[in-house]
């Protein structure tokens, strides 16, 4: 696993203060989001700073709707960010893609978000947010000509007297680097009604996706499939079913709490974000782990 993996374990709120945590927890502000083919509908676009939970679902029964919360750096306009994102996603020129990826990585802080499907039902993502303007994206609808499809969320001054203690889930999913490879620190068997503290300790954006594995498929089947896809080939065996759900890109060092409920069975935990050096999807390079939900 690597000697550095143990350092990824964050302290619990109690241990972080050297004893029992007697601070009052503020109830999170809740934002409801419904993702549709024509955009995102929000129940509110204004919340106070502190604990915030996004509860998302989709009416689209055909594709995944990957939502992500971002905060643009000072001086970066939404149109410029969307233009650079489109180039990073569509350019066939490696040098141009490298440059565009470097731009979008530096132009925003990525807090992650729920990748929802009809099968996933509602997924919750929780954070501690400071005052400012945030943007909720549907990564499938990013178009510099349609900035109106991006929803802005204003986080104001805190209004609650309770101290903002981060929401904590005892199950940890930590993405980390092991040399040039990405890895996951995660248990082999997890609760199907999962609540996870997700930490990105890699040096680049990464996500945590759960993809259902077909009954009887082995790690060798997964590895062969990923290798074929990495080389642009059709795999002889495709050991997956359905559409992945989970948490979309988190910036390096960022943490969020993911809550979702999936059917029991075997799943692949992985990231489909491109490696910023090789431009190959991390999943194809071996950043995955087979786990069982019960």
């Amino acid at each position: 696993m690597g000697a550095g993996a143990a350092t990824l374990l964050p302290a619990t709120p109690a241990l972080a203060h050297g004893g029992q945590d007697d601070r009052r927890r503020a109830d999170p502000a809740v934002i409801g989001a419904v993702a549709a083919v024509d955009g995102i509908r929000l129940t509110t676009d204004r919340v106070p700073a502190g604990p915030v939970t996004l509860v998302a679902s989709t009416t689209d029964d055909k594709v995944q709707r990957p939502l992500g919360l971002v905060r643009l750096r000072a001086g970066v306009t939404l149109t410029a960010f969307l233009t650079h994102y489109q180039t990073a996603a569509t350019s066939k020129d490696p040098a141009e893609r490298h440059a565009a990826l470097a731009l979008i990585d530096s132009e925003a802080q990525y807090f992650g978000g729920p990748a929802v499907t009809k099968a996933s039902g509602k997924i919750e993502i929780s954070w501690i947010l400071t005052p400012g303007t945030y943007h909720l994206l549907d990564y499938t609808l990013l178009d510099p000509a349609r900035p109106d499809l991006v929803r802005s969320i204003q986080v104001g001054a805190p209004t609650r007297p309770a101290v903002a203690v981060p929401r904590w889930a005892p199950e940890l999913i930590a993405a980390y680097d092991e040399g040039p490879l990405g890895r996951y620190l995660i248990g082999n068997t997890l609760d199907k009604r999962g609540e996870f503290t997700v930490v990105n300790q890699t040096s680049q954006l990464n996500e945590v996706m759960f993809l259902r594995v077909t009954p009887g498929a082995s790690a060798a089947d997964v590895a062969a499939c990923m290798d074929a896809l990495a080389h642009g080939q059709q795999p002889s065996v495709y050991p997956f079913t359905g559409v992945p759900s989970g948490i979309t890109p988190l910036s390096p060092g960022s943490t969020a709490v993911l809550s979702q409920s999936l059917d029991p069975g075997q799943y692949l935990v992985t990231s489909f974000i491109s490696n910023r050096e090789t431009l190959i999807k991390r999943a194809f390079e071996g950043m995955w782990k087979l786990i069982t939900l019960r």
Side-chain angles (χ1 to χ4, degrees), residues 29-34 40-47 53-55 136 151 153:
V30 177
I31 303 172
V34 178
I40 307 167
R41 298 191 299 276
L42 298 177
T43 57
T44 182
D45 61 3
R46 293 181 179 274
V47 292
T53 295
L54 180 70
V55 182
L136 187 63
R151 299 290 176 255
I153 297 173

Side-chain angles (χ1 to χ4, degrees), residues 197-221:
T197 296
V198 179
V199 184
N200 179 17
Q201 287 292 336
T202 71
S203 60
Q204 66 155 78
L205 292 181
N206 266 303
E207 62 187 6
V208 174
M209 291 292 148
F210 288 75
L211 180 58
R212 184 70 183 269
V213 176
T214 53
S218 66
D221 294 328

